[in-house]
Amino acid sequence: MTILETFEMMNYGPAPEDPREAVNWLDEHERRFGLFIGGEWCPSAGKKRFDSINPATGETLASISSAGPKDIDKAVAAARTAQSGWWKLGCHGRARYLYALARQVQKHSRRLAVLDCLDNGKPIREMRDIDVPLVARHFYHHAGWAQILADEFPQHEPLGVAAQVIPWNFPLLMLAWKIAPALATGNTVVLKPAEFTSLTALAFAELCREVGLPPGVVNIVTGDGETGAKLVAHSDVDKVAFTGSTEVGKEIRRATANSSKRLTLELGGKSPFIVFDDADLDSAVEGLVNGIWFNQGEVCCAGSRLLVHEPVADRLMDKVRRRMESLRMGSPLDKAVDVGAIVAPVQLERIRSIVDRAVEEGAHCYQAEVPVPDEGLYYPPTLLTNVGPASHAAQTEIFGPVLTSMTFRTPDEAVALANNTVYGLAASVWSENINVALELAPRLKAGVVWVNSTNQFDAACGFGGYRESGYGREGGREGLEEYLVPSWSRQLPRLPESSGTKSAPVSGAAPGSGPALGIDRTAKLYIGGKQTRPDSGYSIPIAAANGDHLGEVPLGNRKDIRDAVEAARKAQAWEQSDGHSRAQILYFIAENLEQRSDEFSSRLQRMTGGTSKSAAKEVHTSIERIFSAAAWADKYEGAVHNPPGRKLTLALQEPMGVIGIICPDDTPLLAFISLVAHAIAAGNRVVTVPSASYPLIATDFYQILETSDVPAGVVNIVTGRPDELSPVLSAHAGVEALWYFGPISGMAATKAESVSNMKRVWTHEGRAFDWYDPRQGQGRELLKQATQVKNVWVPYGE
Ligand code: NAI
């Protein structure tokens, strides 16, 4: 076509990026890469290799080493050796390296951009204007965090060695999200890029050498899922950070259940893109282009489910179809291209099969009639309508340029549809009425909500999901916390292996052979604000320390747990109540406990066999603890971020939802109160299994709850055997988080069962907590576990 013809058609002519410099770089390495371990390039011990292919041309770009177990051992050992020196380098020392990395990324920005285009198939425009600038920003921002770390996180230490596994959709950006916070906080890293896209990670390794990063601080091991599985399971790894599919996230949770490795999982999504009838429809259409056709839709937080208000549905769909026709699909190296190639044949096949199935199930499929290049892996922008909310296409993460569309009539219906998936990564709300948008934001189960915008990211703003989209945040202050531990936690003594395993027989078999007390209280379960009999019809006799029969508690079972979870879920109004109201109820609980403190002290003393002084101290501290939780109820607040550009991000601390709590035997009243009071102070409802040895102290507490205006269902108490009840709670889809302080023997099973809905599990990790220590038993550490951050992005300023 001549220039004149192009001019007359007003079509974009080709504007190819010259890949020569990146190709030269590959040639300099003879298109053959080893592993980057301890600051050196090394061959893989197993000599296994695979090719990296350009999905737009089918060309083999380079031969990549596949790391085996010996290589992983070597890389983890290098990271371990380097770690103490890296930490001792101090804040300023680490900050300088992070700054140097930021500068080096900028200096080589075009090479890095082209390499990811070649390897992944993503358009150069996006790499140049979005990915690479965000990578540099991430290192700059974290250079800053490294500098001020000691002031901002006093008495904190790095976890140690971090194993990081990343996907192929944003190869360099995901690397930056992983490496920058780990390094800023004094950890060292072994990172495995995805097998389809290893090149920018290898190029980054070279940048590490160029800035003189101490050997072993960053190690890059390439390979497939098998390499990843070996890395995350390595016994000398302290932290696993993973981004990828929910399926693999679940495998990783199971594989690490028997260890104390800290986990952050950034998993899949099926994010709603909600358009109200008063939205600026043209802006919403551009938002959709960014939401679902950015990066070919291979985005974990892609706005892949369009929910449109019925009155404007036809109008919006017309506009969407027209806009789809003007999207330009083609060579990723063409600067005028919007939609590039799909990363690999397997992914293309996956997209095809999901769309084919949707059509078979009755969906209407509209595909843009955009010219498809003759070679390469391409899939046209696609719109599926007439899909049911529960259909496969509307529920499955497609990870391709495919939008499913549904309509809604009312805001309530929009919320119900939006939340109707197992995921909870992101959501986008479009309305010119700020009231509408901000009324919806808190009701959406999503870690990120974009108002009148979509796919916004920044190093200062935490990113991560609710529900099966994973847990933990990357970016911002909360992202750093995922790589730090409070120093006191390192000094905690180990619990004896047998701790908390004392399991009483069911009633009749009687421990406590001593005389029964005069008045035997018949404790019941406490569910939905009522004292109820257990489903099992059994009770457990509870003996005093001296062997006397103290009373009996019900033997709760699976059905009782289900009832308790149901009651907790019904008490959702607690979540919406404000901190001020919750504080008042907590103060009232403290007041009522105070009135009965003598009774609780003597009961406690008889149960545990301690002195009257120690029992009185435990009751007194428990009252103080409730005061502390009440004090925090309206003070554990979020933050407002100012990311670059015309926006504000409100980082809100939201309750987890329903928390299952398995209480320890140690200081049974104080531990129970510390855990429950903080959980409910943050707006959660709880299902608690009290200490197995001293459950009567919790059943006595019912009366306090009943007289303190605690709404029914906010606190539910199911007595029984923690090792039986904990896996039930952990597997329950209606429980959002689990705090496990029971016997060590039940810890791994509890973690493994949590994959049911990817609930966050917090445990003692085999350490003896001192519940008297305010650093361990109250305040921010507990509230952090009781909340998850939701980032709401709102347009702001001119
Ligand atoms: P994946 O989850 O298998 O791969 C992500 C990373 O994990 C890669 O580096 C891979 O080598 C590694 N990996 C695989 N199995 C592992 C294991 N058992 N232990 C440790 N590491 C392991 O994703 P995949 O197969 O590339 O894509 C499949 C689907 O997953 C996509 O169609 C998409 O729906 C979803 N996905 C979601 C991502 C997200 O960010 N939410 C990213 C990539 C894929």
Side-chain angles (χ1 to χ4, degrees), residues 54 63 204 258 327 382 469 481 497 563 692 724:
N54 180 340
S63 164
F204 181 81
N258 209 1
L327 288 169
T382 299
S469 293
E481 283 171 353
E497 280 299 319
D563 291 348
E724 284 170 17

Side-chain angles (χ1 to χ4, degrees), residues 165-169 174 192-196 223-230 232 242-249 251-252 266-269 299-301 347 350 397-399 425:
V165 177
I166 57 172
W168 40 260
N169 54 343
M174 288 302 104
K192 190 200 85 65
E195 53 272 41
F196 301 138
D224 61 8
E226 215 178 300
T227 305
K230 292 258 162 14
V232 300
F242 170 78
T243 298
S245 59
T246 293
E247 197 186 351
V248 173
E251 274 179 46
I252 291 177
E266 200 273 271
L267 310 176
V299 182
C300 50
C301 50
Q347 188 61 18
R350 178 185 160 87
E397 181 177 49
I398 302 176
F399 232 60
L425 194 50

Side-chain angles (χ1 to χ4, degrees), residues 66-247:
S66 177
K70 284 193 182 138
D71 305 311
I72 304 283
D73 283 347
K74 191 170 157 185
V76 172
R80 175 65 61 199
T81 307
Q83 200 268 323
S84 66
W86 178 242
W87 176 235
K88 284 188 194 131
L89 200 58
C91 291
H92 183 57
R94 287 193 300 280
R96 290 179 80 105
Y97 280 112
L98 282 153
Y99 171 74
L101 284 169
R103 296 287 294 128
Q104 208 67 358
V105 165
Q106 285 182 317
K107 280 191 242 166
H108 297 285
S109 59
R110 201 50 77 90
R111 179 206 293 163
L112 293 165
V114 172
L115 277 175
D116 259 357
C117 290
L118 295 174
D119 216 10
N120 167 281
K122 54 168 60 204
I124 184 72
R125 191 173 49 81
E126 292 176 4
M127 267 317 286
R128 183 197 59 195
D129 299 345
I130 299 168
D131 291 41
V132 175
L134 279 174
V135 170
R137 159 101 178 122
H138 224 76
F139 280 101
Y140 275 119
H141 183 76
H142 284 87
W145 274 121
Q147 178 68 38
I148 60 175
L149 193 82
D151 294 333
E152 287 298 302
F153 295 92
Q155 307 298 319
H156 278 72
E157 294 173 16
L159 284 161
V161 173
Q164 305 183 321
V165 177
I166 57 172
W168 40 260
N169 54 343
F170 294 94
L172 187 64
L173 184 58
M174 288 302 104
L175 172 146
W177 280 23
K178 296 277 178 293
I179 289 185
L183 263 49
T185 45
N187 296 271
T188 52
V189 162
V190 181
L191 177 133
K192 190 200 85 65
E195 53 272 41
F196 301 138
T197 53
S198 310
L199 295 180
T200 43
L202 296 164
F204 181 81
E206 201 168 82
L207 301 188
C208 292
R209 252 162 86 116
E210 285 166 12
V211 304
L213 193 72
V217 170
V218 169
N219 304 275
I220 307 286
V221 291
T222 43
D224 61 8
E226 215 178 300
T227 305
K230 292 258 162 14
L231 174 59
V232 300
H234 195 285
S235 60
D236 203 25
V237 156
D238 304 296
K239 153 93 192 177
V240 174
F242 170 78
T243 298
S245 59
T246 293
E247 197 186 351

Side-chain angles (χ1 to χ4, degrees), residues 416-439:
L417 283 169
N419 290 338
N420 181 32
T421 74
V422 295
Y423 298 113
L425 194 50
S428 188
V429 185
W430 294 76
S431 166
E432 288 300 283
N433 183 344
I434 192 79
N435 295 326
V436 170
L438 294 187
E439 188 215 309

Side-chain angles (χ1 to χ4, degrees), residues 445-779:
K445 296 283 174 215
V448 187
V449 178
W450 293 295
V451 173
N452 291 331
S453 55
T454 193
N455 275 342
Q456 303 288 308
F457 313 102
D458 185 58
C461 309
F463 182 87
Y466 283 22
R467 311 205 280 191
E468 292 196 29
S469 293
Y471 37 78
R473 295 289 179 267
E474 294 190 305
R477 197 182 175 92
E478 55 270 34
L480 293 166
E481 283 171 353
E482 304 289 354
Y483 286 92
L484 289 167
V485 280
S487 304
W488 57 258
S489 69
R490 286 271 155 84
Q491 274 109 50
L492 294 181
R494 293 207 168 274
L495 279 168
E497 280 299 319
S498 59
S499 74
T501 49
K502 189 176 114 187
S503 193
V506 293
S507 189
S513 48
L517 283 180
I519 303 169
D520 179 6
R521 282 197 196 140
T522 316
K524 293 192 182 135
L525 305 176
Y526 189 63
I527 295 178
K530 295 198 188 83
Q531 302 199 20
T532 57
R533 290 181 203 291
D535 174 67
S536 71
Y538 288 110
S539 298
I540 318 176
I542 301 297
N546 65 1
D548 285 355
H549 178 69
L550 258 190
E552 301 198 328
V553 295
L555 181 69
N557 68 9
R558 180 176 293 271
K559 164 86 168 49
D560 300 313
I561 291 285
R562 280 205 298 264
D563 291 348
V565 173
E566 177 131 358
R569 295 205 74 76
K570 279 199 194 131
Q572 212 205 347
W574 184 252
E575 193 170 314
Q576 281 132 18
S577 66
D578 54 66
H580 172 65
S581 317
R582 294 197 293 269
Q584 293 197 30
I585 289 177
L586 281 156
Y587 285 127
F588 199 15
I589 296 176
E591 196 183 300
N592 286 328
L593 180 58
E594 171 90 13
Q595 273 179 19
R596 294 175 57 180
S597 54
D598 289 346
E599 184 194 329
F600 267 79
S601 294
S602 66
R603 186 90 155 158
L604 201 54
Q605 187 197 352
R606 198 175 304 141
M607 273 182 216
T608 59
T611 62
S612 61
K613 204 166 151 207
S614 70
K617 181 180 166 202
E618 185 168 343
V619 175
H620 176 78
T621 314
S622 298
I623 294 165
E624 195 182 325
R625 194 60 42 96
I626 303 171
F627 255 69
S628 173
W632 275 107
D634 60 356
K635 291 175 195 65
Y636 190 67
E637 291 179 323
V640 179
H641 300 301
N642 278 254
R646 190 184 153 258
K647 37 198 117 86
L648 276 188
T649 310
L650 315 175
L652 304 164
Q653 301 285 0
E654 289 199 340
M656 300 296 300
V658 174
I659 302 184
I661 303 180
I662 310 293
C663 295
D665 277 351
D666 282 347
T667 45
L669 178 67
L670 180 59
F672 167 83
I673 294 231
S674 303
L675 293 165
V676 171
H678 285 83
I680 67 173
N684 299 285
R685 296 90 79 197
V686 298
V687 175
T688 313
V689 178
S691 144
S693 307
Y694 313 111
L696 286 170
I697 204 69
T699 58
D700 284 354
F701 202 70
Y702 301 165
Q703 291 124 27
I704 306 258
L705 294 170
E706 278 168 347
T707 51
S708 307
D709 295 344
V710 179
V714 171
V715 178
N716 304 277
I717 302 175
V718 180
T719 50
R721 300 195 175 115
D723 47 348
E724 284 170 17
L725 300 181
S726 174
V728 180
L729 265 177
S730 189
H732 199 301
V735 177
E736 275 90 6
L738 199 100
W739 295 359
Y740 182 85
F741 287 83
I744 295 181
S745 54
M747 211 160 59
T750 299
K751 286 185 191 173
E753 292 292 345
S754 70
V755 299
S756 62
N757 61 348
M758 293 311 278
K759 55 176 67 68
R760 200 165 81 184
V761 178
W762 176 40
T763 81
H764 50 52
E765 301 296 356
R767 304 280 184 163
F769 270 54
D770 173 4
W771 295 97
Y772 280 108
D773 180 352
R775 295 171 309 171
Q776 300 176 42
Q778 72 185 36

